[in-house]
Amino acid sequence: MKLSLPFVPILAGATLRDRLLACIGALIGVALTSLVSAAALHGWAPLPLLVAPIGASAVLVFAVPASPLAQPWSVVGGNVVSALVGVTAARFVPVPYLAVGVGVGGAILAMSLLRCLHPPGGAAALTAVIGGPAVLGAGYAFPFVPVGINSLILVLAGIAFHRASGHSYPHRPIPIVGHELAASELGIPHPTDIDLALADLGETFDVTREDLDLLFRRVEFHAAKRTAGSKRAPPSLI
């Protein structure tokens, strides 16, 4: 029996090549973001040229580019919107301990409503509250400079890198060339059924309904191929 250990990461579909590409992509993406931001933001000192949440955004963009949380609108919108919420919390909530909670909690709500949920956005909101005199002094400029510029440059670097490395980014659930799908839809769940099943489970999965539908079709193809092969195989002699 296969044991399920609580500290074993669950990351389906990951290969060593993908992980190495993610490292190279993050190296190029973050370095390029830092370089371009330094040139574009020259004269904005003492604001930081590169905000820490960009490091977390890079993990999503380059390591899990198919994730809904890593898409361009999630990265740019999530970071900017969250920083705006953080600045607002810092200005209107006088108790620092409460302001940090309001900033992060409000950021989750805002990102959810605007369909740009992005985990590093929580860090962007927190930075806007506890970032120090320079960040607090920048006020509502901070979410755009440097947070917005950093996020946009990182996304552009991600698009260029994944196009060169063969990944779909911004992600689209498109079958890989040369990989067949099931010839018929018999036995394949209807998209509406997938929605109902996801609602039944009551969990949030880091995958889209469209990706699940594509995966089921590919599974059906392999199942049909395996079944056909077993029917053709001659009986073994004992």
Side-chain angles (χ1 to χ4, degrees), residues 8-69:
V8 176
I10 303 172
L11 189 59
T15 64
L16 178 59
R17 176 182 178 275
D18 289 332
R19 300 284 72 81
L20 292 176
L21 282 175
C23 296
I24 296 171
L27 186 156
I28 296 173
V30 175
L32 188 62
T33 300
S34 179
L35 178 64
V36 176
S37 296
L41 302 180
H42 181 68
W44 280 80
L47 277 176
L49 300 178
L50 189 69
V51 291
I54 292 300
S57 294
V59 174
L60 288 169
V61 170
F62 294 101
V64 282
S67 169
L69 307 177

Side-chain angles (χ1 to χ4, degrees), residues 140-167:
Y140 285 104
F142 175 71
F144 303 97
V145 182
V147 175
I149 289 180
N150 286 173
S151 302
L152 181 59
I153 296 170
L154 184 72
V155 163
L156 293 175
I159 291 173
F161 182 82
H162 286 304
R163 184 165 297 180
S165 63
H167 285 112

Side-chain angles (χ1 to χ4, degrees), residues 4-10:
S4 177
L5 300 178
F7 298 105
V8 176
I10 303 172

Side-chain angles (χ1 to χ4, degrees), residues 5 33 52 94 101 104 144 156 160 179 189-190 206 215-216 235-236:
L5 300 178
T33 300
V104 175
F144 303 97
L156 293 175
H179 286 192
H190 189 277
D206 193 10
L215 177 62
F216 289 145
S236 57

Side-chain angles (χ1 to χ4, degrees), residues 85-86 89-105 125-126 129-130:
V85 173
R91 285 200 168 192
F92 295 103
V93 181
V95 182
Y97 304 105
L98 182 59
V100 293
V102 170
V104 175
L126 195 61
V129 179
I130 63 172

Side-chain angles (χ1 to χ4, degrees), residues 1 3 18 34-35 44 71 81 109 115 161 173 199 204 207 222:
M1 183 178 70
L3 296 178
D18 289 332
S34 179
L35 178 64
W44 280 80
Q71 301 314 297
V81 167
L109 176 61
R115 300 176 64 87
F161 182 82
T204 299
V207 64
H222 282 295

